[in-house]
Amino acid sequence: MKAQLIKIIQTALTDLIQQEKLPELDLPEIQIERTKDKLHGDFACNIAMMLAKPAKINPRQIATLLVDAMKDFDFINKIDIAGPGFINFFLSAESAQQIVKDILASGDTFGRSQVGKGKRVQVEFVSANPTGPLHVGHGRGAAYGSVVSSLLMAAGFDVHREYYVNDAGRQMDILATSVWLRYLDACGEQFTFPSNAYKGNYVLDIAATLKADKGELFRHPASEIFAGVALDEPQGGDKELHIDGLTNKAKALLGETRYRQLFDLGLNSILADIRADLADFGTNYDEWFSERSLMESSVVDQTIETLKNSKALYEKDGAWWFRSTDYGDAKDRVVVRDNGQTTYFASDIAYHLNKFNRGFDTVIDIWGSDHHGYVPRVKASLQAMNQDSDRLKVLLVQFAVLYRGSEKVAMSTRSGDFVTLRELREEVGKDAARFFYVLRGADQHMDFDLELAKTQSTDNPVYYVQYAYARVCSVFRQLAERNLAWEQAQGEMHLSRLVEEHEQALLTALARYPEVIESSALNHTPHILAHYLMDLSRDFHTYYNAHHFIIDDLELSQARLTLVSAVKQVIYNGLTVIGVSTPETM
C-alpha cells in the first residue's frame, strides 16, 4: 500500500511540475508513514513540508495542489490536509479486506519485494577461528547474520553468505602445537602443559585420533622438545615466547609434511564440528572462504605490494606499517612483522579487496562488538587502494549473557571455559535460541533467560508466536471433526462482514507485514520482524479468546476462517525468515 501511495504522489508531482504549478526541483524521497491515530487516517505524508523551502511555496498550498492533482482511486475514501501540511489518506474498507486476498493468493511469497532486485550483497558472519567449538557469543552472530541474509533475500537482493576461515597464522599454529603436546602426553611423555595452549577437551579428542591413526610416529622426547625454549609464565618466563618456541620445535622436529598433517588434523576436526553445529542451528553458507588460499595464491603479498606502491606503507624497525592514522585511525598498524611474517590485518586487507573485486554492490561484515576498533583501519585500507569504503557495512553484535531466572549461568564444566552453542541448543532448542537471539537490536546488550526460553507459556515469546500458529491449525481441525469445510472463495466474498474491532486490528496488522520485511531488510533489524510477529500473535490471541469461528452464520464463519488463514500464512512466512519452525500442535 505504501508503494501505491508513493506512486500516486510521484505522478501528481510530475503533473504539477509539467503544468508549471510547481517549479522544477530535485524531488526528495517520498516518505509514507502509518498514522498512530485513526482519526488522522491510515497513512500520512510530509512531502509538502519537505518541498516548501526549495519550492519557496507555503506547505499547505503545496499540499492543496497535490490533493487536487490526485485522481480518484477506489481504495482511497478521503484525503485530508492536517496541521502545517500533512497529507492524510483514509483507505476504503475494501482496501483493508484486499490484504487477506493478497496474502492467500501469494502464499509463501507474500511480503517479498523487489526493492533489492539487481543488487548483489555479500554477508560474512560468525567467521570464528577454527581453534575450538562455537560458544553462545557466536550463536548470537549466527542467528543475526542468517536472519539478516534471509531478510535481504526476501527484499529481492542477490545474497551471498560467507564464512571466512582463519586457517592460517599463529593461533592455528598454537592449536596444532596443543594437539601435538596432548598427543605426546598420551604417548607417556612427562612435561608441564603450556599456560597459553588450548586446553579444552576437544584438544584431547583430536590428540587421541592422531595417536590412533599414527601410533607413536609423531613422538619425540619431551627433553628434546623443551630444550632451549623460553620459560613459561608460571615459571617466571614469557607465555608468548614459550608457546612460540614450542611451535617452532614442532615444525623443526616433525618436518614440513608431518607438521602439515598435524595442522590439518586440528583444523579439519574443528571446522567439521563448526559446520555441523551451524547447520544444526539452521545457519548455512554459500561459501567457506579460506585465508590460507589468499596466502598460497600470493594475494596477500600482492596486496602489500599495492599498498607499498601507493605509499600507504612505511618501514620502521624492520617491520612494514600501514599509515592508518592518515585515514582517521588511532595509530598506524603493522602488516608485516620484523620477522617477515604477515599479520592478520594484512590478510584482512587482502580478503576485503578480494570481496570488492568479486563485484558485490555491498559487503556486510558482522563482527562482535569487541572489534569496533577494527572498523576504521579496514575502511582506511580500502580507501588507500582507491576503493569506495562506503560499500563496506560493518554491523556489530553485542555479547549475550546467560541467566537461569535471576541467576547468572556459571561457566560450562563440559567445555572448560565457556558455554557452547551446542549446549545451548540442546537445552532450549533451535527455535527458542534463534528467536531469543534476534529479539533485541544487535547493538544492544542482551540477557538470555534459559528458563524462560524453555517454558511453555505466553511469557515465552517464541512459544507465544508458535502457539498462535498452532491455534489456527486447531480451528481447522475442529472444522474437519464436524465434517465442515472452509470455502475460501465464499470467505473472500464476505470479508465485508469483518467489522468487529478485533478483526479490524488484525486486518491492519496483516497489511503491515510487507513494510516490516522491507524495513527490517534495509535497516538490518531482525528484531523489528520478531516484535511484529509477537504483536500479530497478540492480536490473534485476543481475537481467538473473544470470538467463535465455527458458527451458524455461514457467511461470517467463512469470512473469519479466511481471515485466520491469512494470519496463519503471515506467521508462517515471518517465522520462516527467522528460521523458526511452525508446529501445528503444541
Side-chain angles (χ1 to χ4, degrees), residues 547-560:
H547 299 279
H548 294 289
F549 306 107
I550 306 173
I551 55 179
D552 293 336
D553 186 337
L554 292 181
E555 290 182 359
L556 181 57
S557 179
Q558 290 294 335
R560 287 178 172 176

Side-chain angles (χ1 to χ4, degrees), residues 170 173-174 176-178 180-181 224-230 240-256 259 262 339 341:
R170 181 170 178 265
D173 282 330
I174 293 175
T177 302
S178 304
W180 188 49
L181 292 173
E224 183 182 9
I225 295 166
F226 284 82
V229 173
E240 305 293 351
L241 291 176
H242 183 68
I243 193 66
D244 286 345
L246 291 172
T247 294
N248 291 334
K249 280 295 186 75
K251 292 178 179 179
L253 293 173
L254 292 174
E256 183 177 348
Y259 182 76
L262 171 69
N339 62 4
Q341 289 187 336

Side-chain angles (χ1 to χ4, degrees), residues 158-351:
D158 179 3
V159 178
H160 184 85
R161 294 159 297 187
E162 191 156 303
Y163 189 115
Y164 180 52
V165 182
N166 297 107
D167 52 2
R170 181 170 178 265
Q171 292 305 313
M172 293 305 301
D173 282 330
I174 293 175
L175 173 67
T177 302
S178 304
V179 170
W180 188 49
L181 292 173
R182 288 301 193 195
Y183 158 84
L184 293 170
D185 182 57
C187 290
E189 295 296 327
Q190 302 293 314
F191 56 86
T192 301
F193 198 72
S195 62
N196 207 27
Y198 289 101
K199 301 180 178 66
N201 289 336
Y202 61 93
V203 178
L204 292 170
D205 295 337
I206 300 170
T209 299
L210 178 63
K211 190 171 186 300
D213 290 348
K214 303 297 183 181
E216 297 197 354
L217 189 62
F218 283 59
R219 183 174 182 176
H220 287 267
S223 57
E224 183 182 9
I225 295 166
F226 284 82
V229 173
L231 292 176
D232 202 356
E233 189 172 74
Q235 287 76 48
D238 186 310
K239 64 180 182 180
E240 305 293 351
L241 291 176
H242 183 68
I243 193 66
D244 286 345
L246 291 172
T247 294
N248 291 334
K249 280 295 186 75
K251 292 178 179 179
L253 293 173
L254 292 174
E256 183 177 348
T257 299
R258 287 183 182 172
Y259 182 76
R260 183 63 176 257
Q261 290 174 348
L262 171 69
F263 186 101
D264 286 348
L265 175 63
L267 165 66
N268 294 333
S269 297
I270 292 175
L271 194 56
D273 188 70
I274 288 174
R275 285 176 182 263
D277 229 4
L278 289 170
D280 289 343
F281 191 58
T283 299
N284 297 289
Y285 293 89
D286 299 298
E287 184 169 358
W288 294 70
F289 191 98
S290 163
E291 177 189 3
R292 188 193 293 176
S293 71
L294 290 173
M295 303 185 77
E296 292 179 344
S297 61
S298 301
V299 173
V300 175
D301 292 338
Q302 292 167 11
T303 302
I304 290 171
E305 286 304 313
T306 299
L307 290 170
K308 285 180 180 179
N309 293 334
S310 66
K311 308 300 182 184
L313 301 185
Y314 65 90
E315 192 174 10
K316 177 183 175 184
D317 300 328
W320 284 92
W321 297 71
F322 173 59
R323 301 179 188 275
S324 50
T325 51
D326 288 356
Y327 301 89
D329 196 7
K331 60 181 182 180
D332 292 343
R333 309 290 174 174
V334 177
V335 293
V336 184
R337 298 186 182 93
D338 55 7
N339 62 4
Q341 289 187 336
T342 56
T343 63
Y344 279 120
F345 181 42
S347 296
D348 282 343
I349 296 173
Y351 177 45

Side-chain angles (χ1 to χ4, degrees), residues 140-141 144 364-376 393-399 441-445 524:
R140 191 176 189 193
Y144 179 67
I364 296 175
D365 287 349
I366 297 176
W367 295 343
S369 60
D370 55 332
H371 286 70
H372 66 91
Y374 211 68
V375 179
K393 308 293 182 186
V394 181
L395 309 176
L396 299 177
V397 179
Q398 289 288 340
F399 297 105
D443 59 348
Q444 295 180 311
H445 172 85
H524 315 123

